[in-house]
Amino acid sequence: MMFPWKQLILLSFIGCLGGELLLQGPVFIKEPSNSIFPVGSEDKKITLHCEARGNPSPHYRWQLNGSDIDMSMEHRYKLNGGNLVVINPNRNWDTGTYQCFATNSLGTIVSREAKLQFAYLENFKTKMRSTVSVREGQGVVLLCGPPPHSGAKPHWVQLIKDVEIAVEDSLYWECRASGKPKPSYRWLKNGAALVLEERTQIENGALTISNLSVTDSGMFQCIAENKHGLVYSSAELKVVASAPDFSKNPMKKLVQVQVGSLVSLDCKPRASPRALSSWKKGDVSVQEHERISLLNDGGLKIANVTKADAGTYTCMAENQFGKANGTTHLVVTEPTRITLAPSNMDVSVGESVILPCQVQHDPLLDIIFTWYFNGALADFKKDGSHFEKVGGSSSGDLMIRNIQLKHSGKYVCMVQTGVDSVSSAADLIVRGSPGPPENVKVDEITDTTAQLSWKEGKDNHSPVISYSIQARTPFSVGWQTVTTVPEVIDGKTHTATVVELNPWVEYEFRVVASNKIGGGEPSLPSEKVRTEEAVPEVPPSEVNGGGGSRSELVITWDPVPEELQNGEGFGYVVAFRPLGVTTWIQTVVTSPDTPRYVFRNESIVPYSPYEVKVGVYNNKGEGPFSPVTTVFSAEEEPTVAPSQVSANSLSSSEIEVSWNTIPWKLSNGHLLGYEVRYWNGGGKEESSSKMKVAGNETSARLRGLKSNLAYYTAVRAYNSAGAGPFSATVNVTTKKTPPSQPPGNVVWNATDTKVLLNWEQVKAMENESEVTGYKVFYRTSSQNNVQVLNTNKTSAELVLPIKEDYIIEVKATTDGGDGTSSEQIRIPRITSMDARGSTSAISNVHPMSSYMPIVLFLIVYVLW
């Protein structure tokens, strides 16, 4: 027995001798060659040829510049047999070196390298024929190069492909090739010449085999040849024989149809040869009649289905190799009908509507409602704030909340079940305020007017009835509605004149359209334009003055805003004269932002009246003056110091300074007040503190001072012209601080009408003020209003109706102020007997506090 590898060697040896063999490694018939294509051919296709023979037939792959070409890029590359088709070639991507690889189970061969280049047409030496005549509708190929040879090797027009056929069927394989001279054909089976017999025929290259058997399977090759060469096309024939088998093509377990429809039940088991089929419904054979047909492919067709047709259908398939059964259950349902469909609607922006979609359907079927908006599936997630499905199981109503312009369009309700679908559509028109007008232009501009024009924007299904115009300047707060001619602009008018503008101001304009729904969005602003210059018309306001230094006349005013200056070169004309004089003195202030003018002259009498007015001008001329007003010249500062200045220490941190007023006449102006300067003994006069009081005051209290320290002070008068001389300096020493020790051991004894208090004497330290007495502060626990009792003893009697709790504190009094407070004493409300206590008593009284005063009294009595 010969080993398989020895058989392979023998067969290969026979192949080398030129014999026709069963297996053959790939051998190139055609290899790619170098190619040059003209620039401009990039919008066409380039084919690089590669063809090899072998058994099994080889498959192909290509490399460009050493890398595999990705054949999944179908928009760029395509394999036609072994030929590589470059689609829409590009010289930047496709220039380079190509190689073809042919592979079958016996090995791989690699073609020679072929370079693909692009060149400009003028680089070709062979010129194209200048004219070509063709008939309309014919194709034409323009050749660039030498004329073709007088003959041509065959090339394939139609290749054979692998086929799988059932036993006893017939095979028809056609291969066609073109060439010059016309090629002849021969066929090989498994590498050997095909033996022709009664079942096997070849005609014009086409192979026919009838009544196929399993032994007809094999690898076939069609060879087309002429004197210039030959080409191979290979394919495999598989002849199969099998019993019916539903495993790979099972019948549907359930088929649902509606009454009155047409249904086909498939029965297509895998069988070779094809199986014969018969049908049963339940246990009863199905026979053909006017509504039921047995199909050639084994299926069953039932027309005008009724409820009686429902049931279980079994297909029985059989051939000479065996039998098999398949089952389908047929369910017949009532058709789905829309009982309440959506209707066309006309609504306004902001409203909410419901588009109804209610159906009647078979209870056996699940139902699905789907809404489409303008042809696209409605997105309930993205537009969930507006769209919502409402209704029960048989209703798919669509609610649209706060409807907007974007919701205008066609709505389709699609109702689907497992067996049918129905739909209904409605148009929804949403009317809204108009869209913004377009193309707003300023056609003409003057110093106070602007002529505008615009185009109508979208009316959003409601005609425009009017327009309004708004303007904005660098000085305005946002957009302001302006006066126009005509005053009312109707919806058909697209031009108007804006009036009452300010000269020499930069303006922007926009237009707003309105309809019955309301005002729409404003248009985009026009280009900025500036009105022409004009003589100023508005004088400065708030003309006044006064004050200043000796020999000065101060004149003030509020500057004219830039939007009212009406042009460049704006300034002020200041005119003034002494009251009673006829001639005006004038001067010019060139800065438009200046708010004052000061006239200095030694001849000016202090505090004398002047008539004053301020006018305006610019490059176009002079404008009006303000009304005449009276302004007084500067006053004369005080020349006399206050007299009888004295200082008195009020406490450890406060002193009082007093003085006599200086003589003053109203003709000298207004005396504004007095300035008190003070400093302590450790400080310097130059760094002193100051305090001012009004003109009618003759004393001042200086607070926040240090205790037990000498302070120096002086006083002077002042007015708008300045301050006068200081008085003589006086000094005073602040008092010592009050004692830091609080009154101790405060003891109280209360009846229902009075409270007796006793405490220990407070003794001041050397650096503290001597105690001059005591203050008792008392209030009820429910009030904040504190009352004070002064005493020079260490005891006190308070006549109080003890009907509620009292809070009491005691402080020592001194020349330096009040001392530290004792601890708070809470005296509880007296119910039936006398009570006593001390500062050691607990503020929050125990529920048995009615016994505490007795205990405290006994303790105090023993201590005394």
Side-chain angles (χ1 to χ4, degrees):
M1 181 177 179
M2 189 175 294
F3 290 99
W5 63 271
K6 292 181 178 180
Q7 292 177 342
L8 182 60
I9 293 174
L10 178 60
L11 291 172
S12 299
F13 176 72
I14 295 172
C16 292
L17 294 178
E20 294 173 337
L21 67 162
L22 180 63
L23 299 175
Q24 181 182 9
V27 177
F28 279 119
I29 299 173
K30 180 180 290 185
E31 296 185 61
S33 57
N34 295 338
S35 301
I36 301 178
F37 285 83
V39 174
S41 67
E42 288 93 330
D43 58 346
K44 301 178 182 178
K45 297 180 180 179
I46 296 174
T47 301
L48 300 177
H49 296 281
C50 179
E51 186 176 351
R53 68 171 179 265
N55 190 25
S57 298
H59 59 271
Y60 301 88
R61 62 184 177 90
W62 283 79
Q63 285 190 351
L64 170 58
N65 296 328
S67 299
D68 284 347
I69 293 177
D70 184 1
M71 300 308 299
S72 66
M73 300 172 62
E74 296 180 354
H75 63 287
R76 292 201 55 206
Y77 302 106
K78 181 179 179 182
L79 272 179
N80 185 5
N83 299 332
L84 175 66
V85 181
V86 184
I87 303 170
N88 295 327
N90 185 292
R91 57 178 171 168
N92 296 320
W93 303 333
D94 299 317
T95 300
T97 301
Y98 290 77
Q99 281 186 292
C100 173
F101 293 74
T103 303
N104 68 8
S105 58
L106 298 181
T108 299
I109 56 174
V110 184
S111 73
R112 62 173 175 262
E113 293 184 347
K115 293 185 178 180
L116 175 61
Q117 296 176 301
F118 294 82
Y120 288 97
L121 192 61
E122 56 267 23
N123 294 335
F124 283 79
K125 294 181 179 179
T126 304
K127 295 185 177 179
M128 297 174 61
R129 181 181 295 176
S130 58
T131 61
V132 177
S133 298
V134 295
R135 293 180 181 176
E136 183 178 354
Q138 289 184 329
V140 61
V141 177
L142 301 181
L143 300 177
C144 178
H149 297 294
S150 57
K153 176 185 175 182
H155 65 272
W156 288 116
V157 175
Q158 181 171 333
L159 299 168
I160 60 173
K161 297 181 180 179
D162 294 342
V163 66
E164 182 177 305
I165 303 180
V167 68
E168 299 181 359
D169 280 355
S170 296
L171 167 70
Y172 179 79
W173 244 343
E174 183 180 15
C175 64
R176 284 190 294 114
S178 64
K180 192 174 183 181
K182 184 177 180 180
S184 61
Y185 301 91
R186 56 191 175 94
W187 284 79
L188 306 179
K189 178 183 178 184
N190 295 331
L194 181 64
V195 178
L196 301 180
E197 54 182 91
E198 183 179 356
R199 293 187 309 111
T200 306
Q201 300 292 328
I202 298 176
E203 183 178 354
N204 294 328
L207 172 63
T208 302
I209 305 176
S210 59
N211 193 23
L212 288 167
S213 65
V214 176
T215 58
D216 291 322
S217 299
M219 181 64 69
F220 288 76
Q221 287 178 307
C222 176
I223 302 173
E225 57 188 332
N226 64 12
K227 64 181 181 180
H228 298 292
L230 55 83
V231 290
Y232 286 78
S233 177
S234 301
E236 183 181 7
L237 170 63
K238 288 184 179 180
V239 181
V240 293
S242 63
D245 180 11
F246 284 95
S247 62
K248 293 186 178 180
N249 191 20
M251 295 176 63
K252 290 183 179 179
K253 292 184 177 180
L254 178 67
V255 175
Q256 291 182 323
V257 296
Q258 64 179 2
V259 172
S261 64
L262 173 70
V263 63
S264 293
L265 305 181
D266 290 334
C267 179
K268 296 180 180 179
R270 189 168 184 176
S272 297
R274 193 180 72 182
L276 297 177
S277 300
S278 60
W279 287 82
K280 285 185 177 182
K281 179 187 176 188
D283 296 328
V284 179
S285 295
V286 176
Q287 303 297 325
E288 283 191 301
H289 58 75
E290 59 183 9
R291 289 195 307 110
I292 298 179
S293 303
L294 298 176
L295 304 178
N296 291 333
D297 63 359
L300 177 66
K301 182 172 71 174
I302 306 175
N304 194 19
V305 176
T306 67
K307 285 279 189 177
D309 294 322
T312 300
Y313 289 80
T314 301
C315 174
M316 296 165 289
E318 180 180 0
N319 65 10
Q320 64 265 41
F321 298 104
K323 300 179 181 180
N325 295 338
T327 301
T328 292
H329 186 69
L330 179 64
V331 176
V332 181
T333 61
E334 294 292 339
T336 304
R337 294 186 301 107
I338 295 180
T339 56
L340 181 58
S343 58
N344 297 338
M345 300 185 73
D346 191 323
V347 297
S348 298
V349 168
E351 295 182 13
S352 295
V353 298
I354 292 180
L355 297 178
C357 186
Q358 299 178 14
V359 299
Q360 179 179 331
H361 66 96
D362 194 294
L364 294 177
L365 299 176
D366 293 329
I367 191 168
I368 299 175
F369 291 91
T370 306
W371 281 92
Y372 292 86
F373 172 47
N374 289 337
L377 188 65
D379 193 337
F380 286 87
K381 289 185 178 180
K382 183 178 179 181
D383 214 1
S385 59
H386 297 285
F387 288 169
E388 181 183 355
K389 287 182 182 178
V390 296
S393 60
S394 297
S395 175
D397 297 351
L398 173 64
M399 173 179 281
I400 310 176
R401 290 191 176 91
N402 187 22
I403 204 163
Q404 301 298 309
L405 290 171
K406 65 181 180 180
H407 297 133
S408 282
K410 181 179 287 294
Y411 290 80
V412 177
C413 176
M414 177 74 71
V415 185
Q416 294 174 298
T417 68
V419 298
D420 64 349
S421 65
V422 291
S423 64
S424 182
D427 290 321
L428 181 63
I429 298 176
V430 181
R431 303 189 188 276
S433 54
E438 301 173 354
N439 199 26
V440 177
K441 293 182 179 179
V442 180
D443 299 322
E444 185 178 343
I445 192 80
T446 69
D447 57 346
T448 59
T449 66
Q451 186 171 341
L452 306 184
S453 63
W454 60 91
K455 292 182 179 179
E456 183 177 1
K458 294 181 179 179
D459 65 6
N460 293 328
H461 308 114
S462 180
V464 175
I465 57 177
S466 66
Y467 291 97
S468 62
I469 299 177
Q470 298 174 346
R472 179 173 65 181
T473 73
F475 318 106
S476 64
V477 179
W479 292 90
Q480 305 293 328
T481 301
V482 293
T483 305
T484 60
V485 175
E487 185 175 354
V488 178
I489 309 171
D490 62 47
K492 296 181 180 180
T493 301
H494 300 134
T495 182
T497 300
V498 182
V499 297
E500 298 178 10
L501 301 179
N502 292 326
W504 199 241
V505 172
E506 191 176 66
Y507 281 91
E508 292 176 279
F509 300 96
R510 69 182 187 184
V511 182
V512 179
S514 299
N515 59 16
K516 290 182 178 180
I517 308 300
E521 295 180 26
S523 68
L524 293 175
S526 67
E527 292 186 358
K528 294 180 180 180
V529 294
R530 185 182 286 274
T531 50
E532 297 177 352
E533 292 182 281
V535 174
E537 298 178 349
V538 179
S541 60
E542 301 298 327
V543 176
N544 211 322
S549 302
R550 181 193 293 269
S551 302
E552 287 183 349
L553 174 63
V554 179
I555 303 170
T556 61
W557 61 88
D558 285 348
V560 175
E562 183 179 347
E563 65 266 30
L564 300 178
Q565 293 174 6
N566 290 9
E568 293 184 312
F570 182 84
Y572 303 97
V573 178
V574 182
F576 55 93
R577 64 187 179 188
L579 188 64
V581 177
T582 58
T583 304
W584 291 93
I585 303 172
Q586 289 191 355
T587 187
V588 173
V589 177
T590 58
S591 173
D593 298 325
T594 299
R596 70 198 301 263
Y597 171 73
V598 180
F599 176 65
R600 296 180 179 86
N601 195 296
E602 293 298 330
S603 64
I604 294 179
V605 177
Y607 203 64
S608 58
Y610 280 79
E611 289 183 316
V612 173
K613 62 181 179 179
V614 181
V616 289
Y617 72 92
N618 63 15
N619 291 345
K620 284 290 185 176
E622 292 188 9
F625 276 91
S626 66
V628 176
T629 187
T630 300
V631 174
F632 285 83
S633 61
E635 303 171 350
E636 184 177 12
E637 65 272 12
T639 57
V640 179
S643 60
Q644 299 297 319
V645 177
S646 64
N648 180 34
S649 176
L650 300 180
S651 68
S652 60
S653 62
E654 187 176 8
I655 64 175
E656 183 178 55
V657 182
S658 58
W659 59 88
N660 289 340
T661 58
I662 65 170
W664 190 258
K665 297 179 181 179
L666 289 177
S667 60
N668 294 334
H670 299 286
L671 180 64
L672 297 180
Y674 295 90
E675 179 184 276
V676 180
R677 183 174 63 173
Y678 59 97
W679 65 98
N680 60 46
K684 297 182 180 180
E685 183 177 354
E686 294 77 12
S687 60
S688 60
S689 301
K690 296 180 177 63
M691 177 182 180
K692 287 186 175 181
V693 296
N696 58 351
E697 297 287 341
T698 58
S699 64
R701 287 198 175 189
L702 309 179
R703 295 180 173 87
L705 307 180
K706 296 181 180 180
S707 63
N708 197 28
L709 190 63
Y711 279 86
Y712 300 86
T713 181
V715 185
R716 64 179 178 179
Y718 71 94
N719 64 4
S720 62
F726 275 106
S727 67
T729 300
V730 296
N731 66 80
V732 66
T733 300
T734 54
K735 299 184 182 299
K736 295 180 182 180
T737 57
S740 57
Q741 177 191 351
N745 197 22
V746 180
V747 179
W748 56 271
N749 182 11
T751 67
D752 57 352
T753 58
K754 61 183 177 179
V755 175
L756 299 177
L757 295 171
N758 287 277
W759 57 87
E760 292 179 353
Q761 181 179 0
V762 175
K763 295 182 179 180
M765 300 179 68
E766 184 178 350
N767 61 343
E768 294 177 337
S769 295
E770 290 296 327
V771 176
T772 59
Y774 297 91
K775 290 181 180 179
V776 179
F777 300 85
Y778 59 97
R779 65 177 176 85
T780 63
S781 59
S782 62
Q783 295 180 347
N784 293 324
N785 186 24
V786 178
Q787 300 184 58
V788 181
L789 172 68
N790 290 290
T791 179
N792 56 5
K793 300 178 181 179
T794 58
S795 62
E797 181 178 310
L798 303 177
V799 179
L800 300 173
I802 310 300
K803 296 181 180 179
E804 56 180 311
D805 292 359
Y806 274 86
I807 306 298
I808 297 177
E809 297 177 20
V810 181
K811 294 181 181 180
T813 59
T814 69
D815 290 341
D818 292 344
T820 305
S821 174
S822 68
E823 292 184 18
Q824 279 192 353
I825 302 169
R826 177 182 290 271
I827 299 178
R829 180 171 61 90
I830 301 301
T831 56
S832 60
M833 61 178 66
D834 292 351
R836 291 176 174 81
S838 69
T839 53
S840 61
I842 300 173
S843 296
N844 295 323
V845 181
H846 191 271
M848 296 184 65
S849 60
S850 57
Y851 298 101
M852 292 298 294
I854 301 173
V855 176
L856 290 173
F857 174 78
L858 294 174
I859 294 172
V860 173
Y861 180 82
V862 170
L863 290 175
W864 281 354

